[in-house]
Amino acid sequence: WQTQSQREKGAELIFRGKQYIEAIRLYQLKTPGKFPETLEELVDEKCIRRLYRDPMTPHGEWNIIIPYQRGTLSGRRGRQSRPESRRRPGQAGTTEQESFQKVYIVPLKALSSVDNPAIIGVVSSSAKKTFKIYLNESSYDRWLFFYGMDPQNMPEIVNFGQEEKD
């Protein structure tokens, strides 16, 4: 019974994660060049009907994926900064998506300590091992759902509070 329950929650995690990817895509169409600073902006802009909970945790809070930039942590908020990214070859027109080489994973509660967060996606905060391998990952906190995701070229992950590698 527990195995079946975990499998169902895993399938729900994938569904909900993809809903956030689509919501951020719609947000990009409405506000080109800008990403939401809060998940609530996705509801306010009518990009998603409601905010979904992380099905893998009792508290339901996601970890947030933002583009990695040096000096991301700050106590202040100011101008919107453009995330570091690169374009994928073969994409043209207004459907181009950004492909991120490095992402920063921030707990939802710590998002206020990030200067100008540009939310590109969500990831479960559960480090529990999975029964299913998804995008070559076997723990829920490694199943990334973000705008511009290229399953063949997944980004390097930097977790909140992790020391920067030089």
Side-chain angles (χ1 to χ4, degrees), residues 7 9-11 13-14 17 56 62 65 122-124 130-146 149 154 157:
R7 283 188 178 131
K9 286 180 180 180
L13 175 67
I14 292 170
M56 305 315 297
W62 297 95
I65 303 171
V122 296
V123 62
S124 178
T130 66
F131 292 115
K132 175 182 178 169
I133 303 297
Y134 181 74
L135 301 177
N136 295 321
E137 296 295 345
S138 61
S139 68
Y140 297 114
D141 62 346
R142 304 285 295 181
W143 289 12
L144 305 180
F145 302 97
F146 65 95
M149 195 165 104
M154 294 301 279
I157 296 171

Side-chain angles (χ1 to χ4, degrees), residues 33-38 41 64-84 104 106 110-120:
K34 186 176 184 298
F35 288 94
E37 291 189 13
T38 66
E41 281 183 62
I64 304 300
I65 303 171
I66 62 175
Y68 179 82
Q69 296 178 13
R70 289 186 183 274
T72 301
L73 286 182
S74 173
R76 59 183 171 73
R77 291 180 172 252
R79 61 175 172 60
Q80 178 81 15
S81 57
R82 295 201 51 98
E84 293 176 26
Y104 194 51
V106 182
L111 194 59
S112 61
S113 66
V114 175
D115 189 23
N116 302 311
I119 298 173
I120 60 170

